[in-house]
Amino acid sequence: MTDPLPHHSHGPSEIESRVRRLEKLLVEKGLVDPAAMDELVDTYENRVGPKNGARVVARAWTDPDYRRRLLENPTEAIMELGYRGRQGEHMKVVENTGTVHNMVVCTLCSCYPWPVLGLPPAWYKASSYRARAVSEPRAVLAEFGVELGDDVEIRVWDSTAEVRYLVLPRRPEGTGAMSEDELSELVSRDSMIGVALVGVPDSRS
């Protein structure tokens, strides 16, 4: 019996509930400005977050020279688009192909490239994911809905304080006419961790 991943659970976790209660108490006592907190959340969810990484991926899909720079010198290439900051200093980009699928984990804690992916999801920090992503990656991917053929090699990359990984997903077929902005809307946080594939909306399939 494998330990189920927490992304299947419903409702807030105990830690999330405690954080919300603490947040409410701080606001009621006037120790935290709700507007400042909203600004901080917006920064990490929207400006310093998955939308940044999606823009990096879309640029790599549409600009071969940028893709080459991204794979050769990821930190500098990501900074070209204005994304920099703590936990984004030592980046490595790994590219999915028809025969190789990459996924990222941090087995020791939860090292994560904040400037391009924002805050790490709860399941990424959970011990079940951190252990099983290494020992049974194909089963973990299946739980996320990613079924890969036996001919596809799965490579698991362990993020550390010295290096953080970003997966460059495969560009979906049938997107040749889409703009960079449109392509970036297809890219999810999970696809840049490697636990999801990039699909095309039904209207464009």
Side-chain angles (χ1 to χ4, degrees):
M1 176 76 66
T2 57
D3 183 17
L5 291 172
H7 72 285
H8 293 299
S9 62
H10 301 284
S13 67
E14 175 58 27
I15 292 178
E16 290 171 328
S17 296
R18 290 170 62 186
V19 169
R20 290 178 185 176
R21 291 196 297 269
L22 177 60
E23 177 185 333
K24 182 182 179 198
L25 180 62
L26 291 173
V27 170
E28 289 174 350
K29 291 183 174 294
L31 299 175
V32 171
D33 179 2
M37 185 169 294
D38 289 344
E39 175 71 14
L40 182 63
V41 171
D42 177 68
T43 295
Y44 280 98
E45 285 190 346
N46 297 304
R47 283 176 281 156
V48 184
K51 290 185 178 180
N52 295 350
R55 182 70 67 178
V56 171
V57 170
R59 177 66 58 86
W61 283 347
T62 57
D63 184 338
D65 287 336
Y66 181 78
R67 172 183 167 277
R68 175 183 53 78
R69 295 197 302 276
L70 182 66
L71 294 173
E72 292 177 354
N73 195 338
T75 304
E76 293 297 324
I78 290 169
M79 288 174 60
E80 287 181 31
L81 300 188
Y83 309 137
R84 65 187 72 196
R86 292 189 60 191
Q87 302 212 33
E89 305 94 339
H90 310 290
M91 295 294 301
K92 180 176 177 62
V93 174
V94 289
E95 184 177 23
N96 285 349
T97 69
T99 58
V100 174
H101 182 89
N102 299 280
M103 63 185 294
V104 181
V105 66
C106 180
T107 56
L108 294 179
C109 50
S110 57
C111 290
Y112 193 76
W114 289 14
V116 286
L117 291 186
L119 298 175
W123 56 260
Y124 182 85
K125 298 179 286 185
S127 58
S128 55
Y129 176 77
R130 286 157 49 194
R132 295 182 55 219
V134 175
S135 63
E136 48 179 345
R138 198 173 292 272
V140 170
L141 287 173
E143 291 181 23
F144 278 93
V146 178
E147 300 282 354
L148 300 173
D150 293 338
D151 58 333
V152 177
E153 176 189 357
I154 298 175
R155 296 177 182 172
V156 181
W157 302 89
D158 192 358
S159 285
T160 67
E162 285 72 38
V163 59
R164 291 173 176 83
Y165 293 90
L166 178 73
V167 174
L168 177 58
R170 297 181 68 192
R171 179 173 178 171
E173 295 182 3
T175 59
M178 296 179 69
S179 68
E180 184 177 314
D181 287 341
E182 291 173 321
L183 288 169
S184 68
E185 292 297 321
L186 302 179
V187 183
S188 69
R189 174 201 65 196
D190 289 2
S191 69
M192 294 180 283
I193 298 175
V195 295
L197 303 178
V198 178
V200 183
D202 292 341
S203 60
R204 290 186 177 273
S205 297

